[in-house]
Amino acid sequence: MSSTSLISFSLPSYALVLILFLALFFPQPLESSSDYATLVYKDCASQTFTDPTKSQSQALSLSSLFQDLLAHSSQSKFFKAVEGESETAISGFFQCRGDISGEECYSCVNELSQMSNTLCSQAMAARVQLYGCYTYYEADGFHETSTSEANLHYKTCGESKAVVDGFAKLRDTAFATLINGVVHNNGFYATSYDSVQMMAQCEGDLGGCECGECVSSAEQIAQEECGESVSGEIYLDKCFISYTFYPDGKPINPHPENGQRGNNNSNGKAAAIVVGGAAALFLGFIFLLLIRSWGKKEDD
């Protein structure tokens, strides 16, 4: 077949080739591993807004509270507010993870307000934890049964067990590094120690010593409850920790809460440059073929 006959392809043929190319080199993005809006747990008070003289005002106060929190979420990772007056006031706060952007924080807090209304409808107090952020609110006069920093809200331990010698010692040494890091880094720390990736965060207004004590309590729970599990997450009143052990020393970040983000940014950028260059060359080739094809049709 001659080159002339190749150029006589119709426009739809070129379009089809272009579509196939774009589908191969620019596939639909997979679900992000940094899905900060994924629910971790919820804790709703059993008491609800049932007093007819207060319930409507309390509901309005709660709505205003979430609007106020959302308004600050793109500029701050932690914010407290009080809405309403006297006996119908609602106080609360949000906190985003220390390693997410303002835009991600805003999206996460926006999801929090919707989830809180759905999951803890009419509750006088609620705590909703997502991977990237959490919120807590309570109505005036409501008191939790426990406000201890060591009050456990949620824990999960990986099903896989470590089969290497010295795992407990390695994990505990990593935990000591985590405590020191979170105390000296404004209440948030994500790092790797040997083959263990870990992260800790304390409530935004918790002091350094209190933060260290809280994280220490979480680590003790992890040691006792998770044992030889290669991963775990512990959420207390004032702090949380997560850790994952990678026997081969190659963390893959299967969950957004595990370890640091962006370890492969340079590789990703290099791949983007290569793919982008190939795309530009191919699109330029298609454009030339289209021009020649149109010119041939006009001559005919």
Side-chain angles (χ1 to χ4, degrees):
M1 184 180 292
S2 66
S3 59
T4 305
S5 60
L6 286 173
I7 299 174
S8 64
F9 285 171
S10 63
L11 179 59
S13 299
Y14 290 126
L16 179 59
V17 172
L18 180 59
I19 292 171
L20 290 174
F21 173 81
L22 293 176
L24 287 172
F25 283 87
F26 299 97
Q28 290 298 314
L30 299 175
E31 184 178 354
S32 172
S33 61
S34 301
D35 189 3
Y36 301 117
T38 299
L39 177 67
V40 177
Y41 75 90
K42 64 180 178 66
D43 190 359
C44 312
S46 57
Q47 296 172 261
T48 58
F49 300 134
T50 56
D51 187 336
T53 62
K54 299 180 181 179
S55 59
Q56 185 173 0
S57 296
Q58 288 172 323
L60 290 174
S61 297
L62 182 58
S63 177
S64 297
L65 173 67
F66 279 122
Q67 291 177 18
D68 195 11
L69 297 181
L70 184 62
H72 288 82
S73 60
S74 61
Q75 304 297 325
S76 176
K77 300 291 178 64
F78 176 76
F79 184 75
K80 283 187 170 183
V82 179
E83 293 292 335
E85 299 179 359
S86 186
E87 297 180 351
T88 62
I90 305 287
S91 60
F93 66 89
F94 78 84
Q95 182 165 20
C96 289
R97 262 177 40 186
D99 60 344
I100 71 175
S101 68
E103 182 180 355
E104 290 167 332
C105 183
Y106 179 89
S107 298
C108 196
V109 174
N110 185 47
E111 191 68 24
L112 272 178
S113 62
Q114 299 178 41
M115 283 195 177
S116 297
N117 291 330
T118 301
L119 301 174
C120 298
S121 178
Q122 300 297 311
M124 292 187 69
R127 182 185 298 266
V128 179
Q129 175 80 53
L130 309 183
Y131 275 135
C133 61
Y134 77 100
T135 188
Y136 175 76
Y137 74 83
E138 65 178 30
D140 182 72
F142 176 86
H143 298 288
E144 288 186 304
T145 55
S146 174
T147 57
S148 168
E149 293 169 3
N151 186 31
L152 177 63
H153 286 284
Y154 176 80
K155 72 174 177 66
T156 179
C157 305
E159 294 182 1
S160 300
K161 303 295 183 181
V163 294
V164 298
D165 294 333
F167 167 71
K169 182 178 180 180
L170 172 63
R171 179 202 59 203
D172 295 348
T173 305
F175 280 170
T177 302
L178 186 62
I179 292 177
N180 182 67
V182 75
V183 169
H184 292 92
N185 287 274
N186 300 316
F188 175 83
Y189 193 57
T191 190
S192 297
Y193 179 86
D194 201 341
S195 301
V196 182
Q197 277 198 332
M198 51 196 172
M199 179 171 61
Q201 184 167 25
C202 294
E203 190 172 303
D205 56 358
L206 204 62
C209 292
E210 294 174 311
C211 177
E213 291 174 0
C214 186
V215 172
S216 179
S217 296
E219 292 176 350
Q220 184 176 353
I221 293 173
Q223 292 165 342
E224 295 172 353
E225 300 289 337
C226 294
E228 299 295 311
S229 294
V230 297
S231 64
E233 301 170 34
I234 307 295
Y235 292 85
L236 306 184
D237 264 348
K238 301 293 184 179
C239 67
F240 76 88
I241 67 168
S242 67
Y243 71 93
T244 302
F245 169 65
Y246 296 95
D248 60 359
K250 297 178 181 179
I252 56 177
N253 287 337
H255 300 293
E257 76 281 11
N258 290 334
Q260 295 174 317
R261 301 170 56 225
N263 291 334
N264 297 319
N265 280 349
S266 59
N267 292 338
K269 290 179 179 178
I273 292 172
V274 172
V275 172
L281 290 173
F282 185 87
L283 291 176
F285 176 70
I286 290 294
F287 183 68
L288 289 175
L289 289 181
L290 288 174
I291 292 176
R292 295 180 65 179
S293 177
W294 291 334
K296 185 176 181 302
K297 288 182 179 180
E298 290 178 356
D299 293 339
D300 292 342

